Amino acid sequence: MKRVLYVLCLVVLCLVLASCSLAPFNFNQAKENSKEASDGNNQFSSNPGDQQAIKEINAILKQENFKGTLYIKNHNKVLMNEAVGEKNYKGEQLGTESMFLIGSSQKFLTGIIVKKLEDKGLIDRNQLVSFYLPQFYGMNMTIKNLLMHRSGLMPYRMTKKYRGLDATVNTIAENGMNLSLYNTYHYNDANYIVLAKVIEQVTQKTYKENVYQYIINPLKLKRTGFYDDKLLQPFFAEGYRTKFMMKTPIKPFGLDQFDGAGNIYMSAADMVTLADAFYHNQLFSSQETNLMKTSIDDNVQPYRYGFNVKKNYLRLRGYFFNQEVICWFNNNLTIAMATNIAKPSKTKNNEQSVLKIYNILTHNKR
C-alpha cells in the first residue's frame, strides 16, 4: 500500500511540474507592477490605438512563447513594461526591475565614455593605441580602429589562468594582429576591452568609476551595475536551459576580463533611458550626436561607438551566457527586450519579434 501511495505521489508531482512549465503566461499580469516600478517621470499611454497595438504585441509574444522583460516607449509615453517567466533555474519570477547581462550592448556605454573623453581632449581617436598603452608598440592601429572594429587584433578568448583587465589587455597585446584584417570591419571583443584600458589610463580611474561618473549617476540608472555589485545582485537574472523538464543554470565566468565589452547588468527600463538620452542629445550636443549617427571622419560604416546605424533606427544587441538584450531606438520609439533563456541557435527569433513590434508601432506591417 505504501508503495502504491509513493508512486501516486510521484505521478501527481510530475503533473504539477508539467502544468507549471506548459501553462501559458498572462502577458498583462505585470501591468500593475510595471506602473509601480516606473520612476514617476514616465507616463503610461492610454491612447485607444496604443491599446490595440498592445494586444497585437501580446499576441506575438505568446506565439513566440517569449520569456523575459519588454519595455517600450512610444512618443515619450511608456507603452509596455512587462516581465514574464523565471529569473533563474530555481523558479524565482522575473520582475520589471530584473537585470540582465547585456553582453556586447555594453560597448555602447564604452563608446559614449570614449566620446566624452574626446570632448575633454584626453583621447584623440586618430592617435595610435600605443601612445596610451606602450604594450601595443609597433602595431599601427588607432583608437578609431578600435571603435570601428577595424584594428586587426586577434580575437580574445576568456581563460581561467588569470583575472582582471590588466592581464587581459597584456594577453591581447601579446596575441598581436592578423594583418589581413587590418582596416577591415571584423567584430571583436578585444577592441573594446582595450578601449576600457585606454579609458583607465587617461583618467587614472577604473573603468567602473568612469561608467558611474559619465552614465549611471547622471542618468540616475537604478538598475544598472557591474557583475560584482553585491547590492544589485538580487536583481540579476541568470541564464538557464531546460531539457527534459529539468532546468540547468548557465553560470557566467571570466566576466572580470570583459570590462568594456560585456560585464554589466541592466534592466530593460534602464536600457531605454540610456538609448533615449543619447538619441535626444542629453549626453552630447545635437551636432555631436548627429555626427556619431551619420559618419565618423567620412566613414559611413554602420557600426561605430558600440551601436549599429540602421535605415530608420539605431540598434544595440548583446548575447552572453544565454542572456540576450536587444534595443532598437529612434526619435519617437524605443524598444528594449531582454531574455535569459536565449538558445544560441534561436537568438534570431527575438530580433524577429522586435522587428514585428517595430512594424506594428510604425504602421509598417509586412
Side-chain angles (χ1 to χ4, degrees), residues 319-353:
Y319 175 84
F320 217 11
F321 294 101
N322 271 48
Q323 302 197 51
E324 184 179 29
V325 175
I326 301 166
C327 185
W328 290 15
F329 55 108
N330 59 27
N331 189 51
N332 297 318
L333 175 63
T334 308
I335 305 167
M337 175 180 281
T339 182
N340 56 332
I341 56 171
K343 297 179 181 179
S345 60
K346 295 186 177 181
T347 53
K348 290 183 179 179
N349 291 5
N350 291 325
E351 192 106 42
Q352 285 298 312
S353 295

Side-chain angles (χ1 to χ4, degrees), residues 81-219:
N81 184 14
E82 309 288 341
V84 63
E86 297 173 346
K87 188 169 71 171
N88 51 41
Y89 78 101
K90 297 176 183 178
E92 298 176 39
Q93 293 300 297
L94 285 168
T96 54
E97 292 189 292
S98 293
M99 299 166 63
F100 296 78
L101 187 61
I102 66 172
S104 290
S105 295
Q106 184 177 336
K107 295 180 177 72
F108 182 47
L109 283 73
T110 304
I112 288 171
I113 297 170
V114 169
K115 180 59 179 170
K116 289 282 188 183
L117 297 176
E118 284 184 59
D119 290 348
K120 288 188 171 185
L122 295 177
I123 290 179
D124 178 354
R125 67 174 174 267
N126 295 310
Q127 182 62 265
L128 290 174
V129 175
S130 59
F131 178 82
Y132 305 100
L133 303 175
Q135 57 266 55
F136 289 91
Y137 179 79
M139 301 185 197
N140 186 32
M141 60 181 175
T142 65
I143 296 297
K144 179 181 170 183
N145 288 142
L146 298 178
L147 287 166
M148 308 288 281
H149 287 299
R150 301 172 72 92
S151 68
L153 284 172
M154 297 295 291
Y156 180 70
R157 300 286 181 263
M158 68 180 72
T159 177
K160 295 182 179 181
K161 294 180 180 179
Y162 51 76
R163 293 180 58 82
L165 179 61
D166 287 348
T168 302
V169 171
N170 288 338
T171 298
I172 291 171
E174 290 169 5
N175 290 342
M177 300 170 62
N178 179 346
L179 294 178
S180 66
L181 295 177
Y182 174 70
N183 211 27
T184 300
Y185 176 76
H186 186 71
Y187 193 88
N188 184 359
D189 290 328
N191 293 312
Y192 277 72
I193 295 173
V194 173
L195 282 171
K197 186 59 191 174
V198 172
I199 289 168
E200 290 195 345
Q201 184 68 23
V202 301
T203 63
Q204 293 299 295
K205 296 179 180 179
T206 66
Y207 173 77
K208 182 176 183 177
E209 288 172 326
N210 278 280
V211 172
Y212 272 87
Q213 177 180 343
Y214 290 106
I215 297 174
I216 294 178
N217 291 339
L219 297 180

Side-chain angles (χ1 to χ4, degrees), residues 216-234:
I216 294 178
N217 291 339
L219 297 180
K220 299 179 181 179
L221 302 179
K222 299 176 182 178
R223 294 293 174 256
T224 299
F226 285 76
Y227 69 100
D228 56 355
D229 284 336
K230 295 190 181 300
L231 291 177
L232 291 173
Q233 285 177 355

